[in-house]
């Protein structure tokens, strides 16, 4: 009986991960759809906004553009995850559940901005190649590729933390939303 519950739990988690991935993929599109016009309307993405007091690094416009795109996509992803992935809408107030979501997202964004800096800074060990990605067209724009890499790195971490923290509180009070193994333990 325990093995069946464990299989159900893993199946349940795989379904949640796939849904989270689908929402995330739509969020990538929203992120890029936001990033492209913001980049086109603003100053050059590699220009410094202001210098940081540590080392040769600056706050650059790509940090600002990435953060704007993050907030738009984060709101999009939250709403879809709430209504479809974790199905918690209608079980708790929107704001109660939303507040942890951008907190998780901001932690991911901080990691992402550090990675973005490494991918775009010309002296970084992980800098994207400028001979191939020369910013001459949309598909050759380093910022867009760097943003996709950042999203791919941060998404798995975001899934785990959101599942365990953001949407967990609602699941503990609503049996139909719980992992199968947890529901079985509560029956005993």
């Amino acid at each position: 009986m325990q093995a069946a519950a464990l299989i159900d739990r893993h199946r349940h988690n795989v379904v949640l991960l796939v849904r989270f991935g689908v929402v995330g993929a739509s969020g990538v599109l929203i992120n890029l759809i936001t990033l492209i016009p913001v980049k086109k309307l603003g100053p050059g993405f590699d220009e410094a906004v202001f210098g940081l007091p540590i080392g040769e690094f600056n706050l650059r416009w790509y940090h600002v553009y990435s953060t704007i795109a993050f907030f738009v996509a984060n709101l999009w992803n939250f709403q879809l995850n709430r209504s479809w992935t974790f199905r918690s809408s209608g079980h708790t107030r929107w704001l109660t559940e939303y507040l942890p979501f951008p907190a998780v997202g901001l932690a991911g964004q901080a990691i992402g901005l550090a990675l973005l800096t490494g991918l775009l800074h010309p002296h970084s060990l992980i800098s994207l190649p400028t001979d191939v990605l020369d910013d001459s067209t949309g598909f050759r724009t380093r910022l867009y590729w760097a943003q996709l890499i950042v999203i791919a790195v941060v998404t798995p971490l975001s899934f785990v933390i959101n599942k365990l923290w953001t949407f967990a509180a609602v699941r503990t009070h609503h049996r139909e939303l719980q992992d199968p193994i947890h529901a079985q333990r509560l029956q005993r």
Side-chain angles (χ1 to χ4, degrees), residues 15-181:
V15 168
L16 290 180
L17 181 59
V18 168
R19 286 183 181 178
F20 193 84
V22 169
V23 170
S26 72
V28 169
L29 290 175
I30 296 300
N31 190 298
L32 291 175
I33 288 170
T34 304
L35 185 65
I36 291 168
V38 167
K39 177 192 165 283
K40 288 183 186 269
L41 293 172
F45 75 88
D46 207 21
E47 292 179 28
V49 177
F50 60 82
L52 299 175
I54 52 172
E56 63 182 73
F57 293 95
N58 298 307
L59 176 67
R60 299 199 177 272
W61 282 105
Y62 61 75
H63 296 113
V64 174
Y65 301 158
S66 175
T67 301
I68 292 168
F70 156 77
F71 276 115
V72 173
N74 186 267
L75 185 59
W76 171 271
N77 286 355
F78 169 74
Q79 190 55 47
L80 283 179
N81 278 318
R82 183 173 198 265
S83 61
W84 185 57
T85 305
F86 298 107
R87 298 183 180 198
S88 60
S89 61
H91 295 287
T92 190
R93 291 184 19 237
W94 187 90
L95 190 59
T96 301
E97 208 166 41
Y98 178 68
L99 292 177
F101 195 78
V104 171
L106 284 171
Q109 180 67 0
I111 293 166
L113 288 175
L115 180 57
L116 192 67
T117 300
L119 292 168
L120 294 175
H121 193 278
H123 303 296
S124 167
L125 295 174
I126 61 170
S127 180
L128 292 175
T130 56
D131 54 336
V132 176
L133 300 174
D134 60 6
D135 300 325
S136 61
T137 66
F139 286 110
R140 295 177 72 132
T141 301
R142 291 178 307 131
L143 176 60
Y144 302 154
W145 288 105
Q147 187 79 351
L148 287 171
I149 292 167
V150 165
I151 291 167
V153 169
V154 171
T155 297
L157 175 67
S158 177
F159 168 73
V160 170
I161 295 171
N162 277 307
K163 182 182 183 300
L164 296 176
W165 182 44
T166 307
F167 297 101
V170 173
R171 287 194 317 272
T172 58
H173 299 297
H174 296 279
R175 190 169 172 185
E176 69 276 11
L177 301 175
Q178 294 175 359
D179 287 341
I181 202 163

